[in-house]
Amino acid sequence: MVELLKKAFNSICHRKAVSALRDDMNMETGDSECSKLSGDLLLSIFKRLTAKDLVAVSLVCKVWKLVASDEMLWEALLRVEAGPKLWQTIFFAESYLRTGLTSREPYLPLSFRTIYGDRLRTPRSIIIDGGSGYCKYGWSDQDEPGHRLPTFLEFGNIESPMYSRLKALFITLFQCMEAKPSAQPIVLTAPISHPDNTGTALAARKQLREITHSVLFELGVPKICFVNQAILALFAANRTSGIVVNIGFNVTYVVPILHGKVMRSIGVELVGQGALHLSVHLNELMEQNMRPAASMYTVRTLKEKLCYVAQDYDAELNKANVRATLAINQDVAFTLDNERFRAPEILFQPRLGHLRTMSLQQAVALCMEHSSAFPVTHKADENWFKTIVLSGGTACLPGLAGRLKKEVSKTLTSASLADGLEVLSPKYGPDSAWFGAKLLSNISTFPDSWCLTRRKFKKCGPAAVHAMALDDDCLPSDCSVNSSRRDDCDT
């Protein structure tokens, strides 16, 4: 009975015909006369039933209709299939991201029955999260990226693309995944690059979008979803507004995002240090203490496994013993002492690493103060900039969120700006942008609501690409593209 109910529910949410439901139940079809019954014949059969039997059939039909239309049932099914860890994320996505643009208020009431069925029909997509350091890619139905590739070693800087270089990269990725480019949509993360709001930076961002789409559409990809990494990291934290601090491979970006759009007019702050600088500084400290590492790979592993951020740097220096040991490849063991917290300290005191750049708290405080001066039309948006979302592998260091909140509160010129300040650690570790892309690619309205099709690209040209970009310097007026991001070229 349980299996029968499950298949009946599937038939309802898929809106299958009776014959399709019979196939799902492994009922005999083929040339059987039962499979050829028409509606008129069924009606004539009902006419021959007794009044008692007709009442019974009617009650059964009403019960099925009542069960099938019960939104609590479909919500419960979604909860069970998602699990407690992912349910809040799914509910957030279906509430705020259904149309291809984020909404200020959730889309309620939601039809969970429709969502359940549409999510089952959402096509499998390829997710590619590329950047200046590494490229993470995999399928949208996977729990994590299936593959990782050091793009900077083989393909150069993806943020300053060459057509042939990008084409070689994508061909390599498709071959590694044994995937046909034309068989599924592609969700691609846009690197947080060219942060200035100058004409040169705008031209560079447009070139990046145009070349990327041109390469993929030439390879036969039918639909492309191209979204900024900072926006995806924000979505992964179940937020649509806030400030994303992305600690990248070479630099750190502080990105203000309001309702899913990068606010270039407020300003994207750039800090001239990233994960590589922390690894280099850790290596220097280890050499000074006569504990040299065999390779930078070992140093990076030690940083990820043993380092942490001190809540009070001076007090931490006076602690008697903060040693920790890690065995690399079960062969050689490395022991770190105060290097564990001295290496990450350059985020807050760059001079310790001989770096001439802003500290992380100065960049975040500056972005918050600029954001506080930005006029908003709704009272609910007054404190949108007080949510700080960390992103990137180095952002996963223990203690970073608490220390950043403490330092930013001291750095802000107005104490009122620190009231209600919230700093969120990466919910999905170093793969926040990838999981944000996974979130989008599994929305019940995907891919129609978030993708640009090859057909529209041919019709509108590069202008269609820029109209889809979630930046406040890219307006839908660039091309007659529907503001809801739906593809009105397709029927």
Side-chain angles (χ1 to χ4, degrees):
M1 176 59 74
V2 173
E3 190 64 27
L4 180 61
L5 287 173
K6 185 186 296 185
K7 291 178 177 178
F9 288 151
N10 286 336
S11 72
I12 293 169
C13 68
H14 279 292
R15 297 180 176 84
K16 291 183 178 180
V18 175
S19 59
L21 174 59
R22 186 183 299 112
D23 291 339
D24 280 348
M25 294 182 182
N26 295 321
M27 294 181 65
E28 188 177 337
T29 54
D31 296 329
S32 67
E33 295 301 321
C34 183
S35 64
K36 301 177 183 178
L37 291 178
S38 65
D40 292 339
L41 184 55
L42 287 173
L43 183 60
S44 66
I45 292 175
F46 287 142
K47 287 181 179 179
R48 295 175 180 272
L49 296 177
T50 64
K52 184 177 180 180
D53 291 334
L54 282 173
V55 170
V57 170
S58 176
L59 288 174
V60 169
C61 292
K62 288 180 179 179
V63 168
W64 272 111
K65 183 178 180 181
L66 181 63
V67 170
S69 60
D70 187 353
E71 285 296 312
M72 293 181 63
L73 168 68
W74 298 104
E75 181 182 356
L77 287 173
L78 280 169
R79 283 178 178 268
V80 170
E81 292 192 2
K85 184 177 180 180
L86 293 178
W87 166 244
Q88 290 299 326
T89 299
I90 291 175
F91 186 79
F92 159 79
E94 297 293 349
S95 299
Y96 290 93
L97 309 178
R98 291 176 58 79
T99 66
L101 290 172
T102 61
S103 62
R104 180 175 288 102
E105 300 295 334
Y107 295 99
L108 295 174
L110 295 173
S111 173
F112 291 105
R113 173 183 172 181
T114 302
I115 291 172
Y116 185 89
D118 289 345
R119 287 180 70 88
L120 290 178
R121 287 195 294 272
T122 299
R124 194 185 190 202
S125 303
I126 290 178
I127 300 175
I128 302 175
D129 177 21
S132 59
Y134 292 86
C135 180
K136 292 159 279 189
Y137 55 102
W139 294 98
S140 60
D141 56 357
Q142 292 178 329
D143 293 333
E144 60 184 18
H147 308 270
R148 298 175 192 271
L149 181 70
T151 52
F152 70 98
L153 291 178
E154 186 173 353
F155 299 98
N157 189 353
I158 194 174
E159 297 174 4
S160 301
M162 294 277 296
Y163 192 94
S164 58
R165 195 165 60 203
L166 270 183
K167 187 174 182 179
L169 170 63
F170 290 133
I171 290 175
T172 300
L173 300 187
F174 288 131
Q175 289 176 344
C176 290
M177 298 181 67
E178 298 182 349
K180 187 178 180 181
S182 60
Q184 64 283 304
I186 301 295
V187 184
L188 187 67
T189 70
I192 309 170
S193 57
H194 314 294
D196 297 335
N197 202 29
T198 62
T200 302
L202 175 59
R205 291 196 295 271
K206 286 188 173 183
Q207 181 193 39
L208 172 62
R209 289 192 290 265
E210 290 176 12
I211 292 180
T212 303
H213 282 77
S214 297
V215 170
L216 286 173
F217 282 134
E218 181 187 316
L219 293 176
V221 173
K223 298 180 180 181
I224 300 172
C225 175
F226 191 58
V227 182
N228 190 289
Q229 289 173 336
I231 296 174
L232 293 172
L234 191 66
F235 289 168
N238 294 356
R239 300 290 194 279
T240 60
S241 298
I243 294 176
V244 174
V245 178
N246 182 271
I247 304 178
F249 185 72
N250 286 306
V251 296
T252 296
Y253 292 105
V254 182
V255 188
I257 300 172
L258 180 59
H259 298 304
K261 181 175 288 189
V262 176
M263 304 304 293
R264 305 277 182 184
S265 55
I266 292 176
V268 176
E269 302 298 334
L270 176 65
V271 181
Q273 59 174 313
L276 180 60
H277 295 86
L278 268 69
S279 297
V280 170
H281 188 48
L282 176 58
N283 188 52
E284 292 173 350
L285 293 174
M286 292 176 65
E287 290 179 348
Q288 291 173 11
N289 294 333
M290 309 302 290
R291 286 191 286 265
S295 66
M296 286 304 295
Y297 171 80
T298 300
V299 174
R300 191 187 74 177
T301 303
L302 292 172
K303 179 194 71 175
E304 295 172 352
K305 302 293 185 181
L306 297 183
C307 285
Y308 65 95
V309 176
Q311 298 306 299
D312 186 324
Y313 182 68
D314 293 331
E316 204 75 13
L317 282 172
N318 294 325
K319 284 188 176 181
N321 185 10
V322 292
R323 288 185 179 180
T325 301
L326 179 70
I328 304 294
N329 297 326
Q330 299 180 348
D331 191 12
V332 181
F334 291 88
T335 299
L336 297 184
D337 199 337
N338 59 16
E339 304 99 329
R340 297 180 63 199
F341 62 88
R342 288 177 62 193
E345 186 63 21
I346 64 172
L347 291 171
F348 303 97
Q349 301 186 65
R351 59 180 177 78
L352 296 178
H354 311 291
L355 298 172
R356 304 177 67 179
T357 183
M358 274 195 303
S359 65
L360 186 59
Q361 68 269 25
Q362 288 174 328
V364 174
L366 186 62
C367 186
M368 287 184 64
E369 290 172 352
H370 289 168
S371 299
S372 67
F374 184 80
V376 293
T377 56
H378 293 268
K379 187 176 180 61
D381 293 333
E382 288 181 353
N383 296 319
W384 66 271
F385 54 87
K386 293 186 178 182
T387 298
I388 312 298
V389 176
L390 301 178
S391 174
T394 300
C396 300
L397 290 176
L400 179 58
R403 175 70 181 281
L404 182 60
K405 181 178 179 179
K406 175 183 174 181
E407 296 296 337
V408 170
S409 299
K410 292 192 300 184
T411 307
L412 288 168
T413 56
S414 173
S416 62
L417 292 179
D419 293 339
L421 177 62
E422 184 181 25
V423 181
L424 304 179
S425 298
K427 187 177 179 180
Y428 298 101
D431 301 326
S432 294
W434 194 91
F435 275 93
K438 173 182 168 68
L439 181 72
L440 282 186
S441 63
N442 285 285
I443 292 178
S444 58
T445 56
F446 191 86
D448 295 336
S449 59
W450 281 93
C451 288
L452 176 66
T453 65
R454 188 180 180 190
R455 181 178 178 183
K456 173 165 282 188
F457 182 75
K458 288 184 176 179
K459 176 181 178 180
C460 296
V465 175
H466 307 313
M468 297 286 284
L470 294 177
D471 284 85
D472 66 353
D473 58 12
C474 297
L475 302 176
S477 58
D478 290 341
C479 177
S480 57
V481 180
N482 191 303
S483 62
S484 69
R485 295 172 61 97
R486 290 186 180 276
D487 190 347
D488 50 3
C489 286
D490 289 337
T491 57

